Amino acid sequence: IIFIVLIFVPPALEYVAKDILSFVRLFDFFIVLGLMFLIGSGFYTYGLVRSNQKRIEKIVRKVALDEKK
């Protein structure tokens, strides 16, 4: 939703990127935003994988102990 608003209000986006954040070009601002998004999604995915790994480990441990009996 924020991106849609920023698309329709380019002067506000240029003001934020150039005057407040001191980016020379607007493209540099988008590159930084993209890298931040990729890093954030990578951490989120890592967290999901770790939680799923722990769940699978519990299930496998339970099945292994049940088969042993």
Side-chain angles (χ1 to χ4, degrees):
I1 295 175
I2 295 172
F3 289 117
I4 294 171
V5 171
L6 292 176
I7 288 171
F8 291 118
V9 188
L13 182 60
E14 282 190 38
Y15 173 73
V16 169
K18 291 183 178 180
D19 295 337
I20 295 175
L21 298 175
S22 300
F23 284 103
V24 176
R25 294 175 295 178
L26 195 58
F27 184 72
D28 297 336
F29 177 67
F30 285 124
I31 294 295
V32 170
L33 283 179
L35 288 173
M36 288 172 51
F37 175 77
L38 286 175
I39 290 170
S41 62
F43 276 111
Y44 178 73
T45 303
Y46 176 76
L48 287 178
V49 168
R50 290 294 289 173
S51 67
N52 285 337
Q53 183 181 6
K54 289 179 183 179
R55 287 185 199 161
I56 290 172
E57 190 175 309
K58 286 181 184 178
I59 292 170
V60 168
R61 187 174 288 139
K62 183 179 177 185
V63 169
L65 291 175
D66 288 344
E67 286 181 1
K68 189 175 182 179
K69 292 179 181 181

